[in-house]
């Protein structure tokens, strides 16, 4: 697979991430070797590394059927196979959503989820984790025929009685224009599979690219997973129109429902099949003019800037790449689309990931730097203290010892405050966990189901859904309040320790529940659209709604799980600096007292003791320098622009 500049950029982004992982890892290892970290800190580093590794870049292709989505994927990504690998043909072709990715932990194969799985309420998210539910066909990577024949599965259909199709949510007798109409025997053609996941080694997919091909409109509308998760989560959506069809009513519906609602940015409109305008009787200028008109009318209809509309010919682009025909490739304008994708998509993702890693890494590194800073201050003070004892009599030394003891007693008192704070902190942490725990969510879902069951009208369904969203929102608002309380408490404690014991604690790390609430808003918007006007619902619709509800519940569960993980990391991160510095301070007090005592007992000469401490000062200085260098290595990597890449060589 190659996609010119896009491919190179994605590969550059992949290797940047790998280098970053190495740098962060090295830092973590160094901390461990120098006894500067604990399991909480190592856990944070591991999570950062894991997230960086698993980071994927996904592009979803969305459109009415037969606009050329699959052909476009073939042309952009699969031309190296020298043939059409994803099936593309007139009429409905792709029958189920198809994800193309590479997970080295699994064999190369296509996994197919039977359509019957829709009869159960299990959402796709859950079925993903159950290998037994999937039918798996091995693929011999590199062998174009093996790849193409495995891919052929995505077009498979079955004929089933109308009642069964209705139960699957694929047939609605009241729909004036059903996607699948019954034949004379009362059978309806339905997709054989509900979802396909293609796992195939390939340089582009190996860097974490995920390509999502979707079937035309009706199947999209009935698989909530696509609407709720796959499409909104994609980094870019390519919405495809066909120049010969113009913008139809159903194109506009797909655009509104599945693209413009969920993607404010990262959307590309492709005006495909421009080769239909290539006509020997018209000259280039006329063709150009007509294209410009089409682009402008598409941009007006979809309310999107004309620069976001890319006229291409996927088919000619594919042929040109396979045959090495540069002139045809230029004429297909596919390289323009690829360039726009690479210029926008990868850099955007790069910036997002960079900012996140910077934030996480800096928080972590600053804990270490201030810890080392405190240690250095401690030894320097000790040196100063001991140097002051030179030539002094026993009384002075005695006096110093009691001063340190008094200081220690003061500190012990503050530690009791810290202990009290810890109790409050633990109690509040528990409150958070129970608020967004599994049980809490289960209760919300149960009561929402009851509200829904009590009514056969869509208004009842909607009330059920609204009650679920209201309850979950209340959870996050409450969590936000508790988080604020903990932050205030911690700030006060940090300040006290800084002022009274000379610690150098910065402001506690902030945490916001905003993103969970935003995510719930997004789910709500989608749900509103899905549930439409207040009408009596048919049995088929009812089944569909219920499935939609289950998908929403699954999505909310993911939000809860994410919030749990993030809150946990935050809770650890706010308590860690103060505990670390307090430990450090205790150690310093002990060492100071110890030094003075040794001098008192004459077990060691003052000079020898001073030399010893001076050595440890040098050690700390060195650690500080190494830490600074490692941090600046990570920063340099973060700052580094993804290598400016040459323009793609045509073919
Ligand atoms: N002339 C011409 N035909 C094209 C072009 N792109 C795709 N086609 C044809 O249009 C038909 C539909 O293409 P597909 O790629 O199957 O369309 P799709 O959007 O994936 O359709 P579904 O899978 O049914 O949702 C096929 O016969 C393609 O060969 C193009 O640029 N020019
Ligand atoms: Mg297709």
């Amino acid at each position: 697979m190659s996609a010119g500049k896009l491919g190179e950029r994605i590969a550059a982004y992949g290797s940047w991430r790998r280098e970053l992982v190495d740098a962060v890892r090295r830092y973590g290892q160094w901390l461990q070797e120098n006894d500067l970290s604990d399991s909480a800190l190592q856990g944070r580093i591991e999570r950062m590394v894991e997230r960086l590794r698993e980071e994927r870049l996904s592009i979803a292709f969305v459109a009415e059927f037969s606009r050329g989505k699959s052909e476009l994927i073939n042309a952009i990504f699969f031309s190296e196979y020298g043939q059409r690998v994803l099936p593309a043909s007139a009429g409905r072709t792709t029958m189920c959503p198809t994800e193309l990715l590479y997970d080295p932990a699994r064999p190369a194969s296509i996994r197919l989820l039977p359509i019957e799985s829709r009869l159960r309420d299990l959402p796709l998210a859950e079925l993903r984790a159950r290998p037994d539910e999937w039918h798996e066909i091995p693929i011999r990577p590199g062998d174009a025929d093996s790849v193409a024949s495995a891919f052929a599965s995505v077009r498979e259909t079955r004929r089933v009685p109308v009642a069964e199709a209705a139960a699957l949510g694929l047939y609605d007798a009241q729909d004036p224009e059903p996607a699948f109409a019954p034949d004379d025997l009362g059978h309806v053609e339905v997709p054989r599979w509900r979802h396909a996941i293609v796992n195939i080694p390939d340089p582009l997919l190996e860097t974490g690219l995920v390509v999502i091909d979707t079937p035309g409109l009706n199947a999209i509308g009935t698989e909530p997973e696509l609407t709720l998760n796959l499409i909104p989560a994609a980094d870019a959506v390519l919405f495809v129109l066909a120049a010969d069809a113009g913008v139809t009513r159903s194109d506009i519906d797909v655009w509104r429902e599945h693209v413009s609602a969920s993607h404010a940015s990262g959307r590309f409109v492709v005006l495909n099949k421009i080769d239909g305008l290539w006509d020997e009787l018209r000259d280039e200028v006329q063709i150009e003019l007509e294209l410009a008109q089409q682009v402008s009318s598409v941009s007006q209809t979809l309310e999107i800037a004309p620069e976001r509309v890319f006229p291409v010919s996927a088919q000619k682009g594919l042929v040109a790449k396979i045959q090495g025909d540069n002139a045809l490739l230029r004429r297909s304008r596919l390289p323009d689309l690829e360039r726009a994708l690479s210029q926008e998509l990868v850099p955007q993702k790069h910036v997002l990931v960079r900012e996140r890693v910077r934030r996480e890494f800096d928080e972590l590194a600053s804990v270490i730097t201030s810890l080392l800073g405190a240690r250095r201050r401690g030894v320097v003070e000790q040196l100063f203290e001991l140097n002051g004892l030179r030539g002094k009599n026993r009384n002075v030394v005695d006096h110093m010892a009691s001063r340190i003891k008094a200081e220690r007693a003061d500190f012990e008192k503050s530690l009791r405050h810290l202990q009290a704070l810890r109790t409050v902190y633990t109690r509040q942490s528990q409150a958070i966990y129970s608020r967004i725990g599994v049980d809490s969510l289960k209760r919300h879902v149960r009561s929402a189901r009851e509200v829904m069951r009590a009514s056969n009208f869509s208004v009842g369904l909607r009330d059920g859904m609204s009650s679920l969203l209201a309850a979950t929102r209340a959870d996050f608002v409450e969590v936000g309040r508790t988080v604020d309380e903990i932050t205030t408490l911690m700030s006060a404690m940090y300040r006290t320790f800084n002022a009274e014991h000379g610690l150098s604690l910065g402001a506690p790390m902030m945490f916001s529940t905003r993103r969970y609430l935003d995510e719930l808003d997004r789910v709500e918007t989608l749900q509103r659209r899905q549930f439409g006007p207040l009408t009596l619902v048919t049995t088929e619709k009812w089944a569909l709604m219920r499935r939609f509800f289950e998908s929403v519940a699954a999505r909310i569960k993911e939000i809860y799980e994410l919030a749990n993980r993030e809150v946990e990391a935050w809770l650890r991160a706010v308590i860690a600096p103060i505990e670390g510095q307090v430990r450090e301070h205790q150690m310093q007090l002990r060492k100071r007292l110890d030094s003075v005592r040794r001098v008192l007992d004459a077990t060691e000469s003052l000079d020898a003791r001073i030399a010893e401490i001076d050595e440890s000062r040098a050690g700390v200085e060195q650690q500080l320098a190494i830490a600074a260098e490692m941090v600046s290595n990570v920063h340099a990597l973060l700052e580094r622009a993804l290598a400016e890449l040459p323009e793609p060589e045509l073919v």
Side-chain angles (χ1 to χ4, degrees), residues 167-178:
L168 288 167
L170 293 167
Y171 179 73
D172 180 354
Q174 301 192 334
D175 186 346
E177 287 175 73

Side-chain angles (χ1 to χ4, degrees), residues 441 443-452 459-475 524 527 549 556 560:
L441 179 59
R443 267 196 307 277
H444 300 332
V445 172
R446 211 175 306 130
S447 55
R449 276 202 197 105
E450 267 154 31
V451 174
M452 290 176 71
V459 60
L461 300 183
R462 210 159 43 187
D463 285 351
M465 189 74 82
S466 304
S467 82
L468 174 63
L469 283 162
T472 51
R473 200 168 279 128
D475 281 348
E524 180 156 36
Q527 168 248 320
F549 174 82
I556 293 178
Y560 272 56

Side-chain angles (χ1 to χ4, degrees), residues 360-411:
E360 290 173 357
F361 182 78
D362 283 357
E363 263 155 22
L364 194 136
S366 77
V367 173
I368 298 300
T369 311
S370 49
L371 185 75
L372 283 172
R375 189 170 295 176
R376 176 174 57 187
R377 241 189 350 270
V379 279
V380 168
E381 269 167 25
Q382 230 187 110
L383 278 174
F384 185 73
E385 220 162 50
L386 290 182
N387 272 315
L389 292 182
R390 280 186 209 269
K392 294 284 172 6
N393 63 25
R394 206 186 154 81
N395 266 349
V396 178
V397 182
D398 252 343
H399 180 68
M400 167 116 5
S402 32
R403 226 182 57 205
I404 299 174
K405 274 189 208 146
E407 226 179 281
R408 196 156 79 163
D410 258 3
F411 193 64

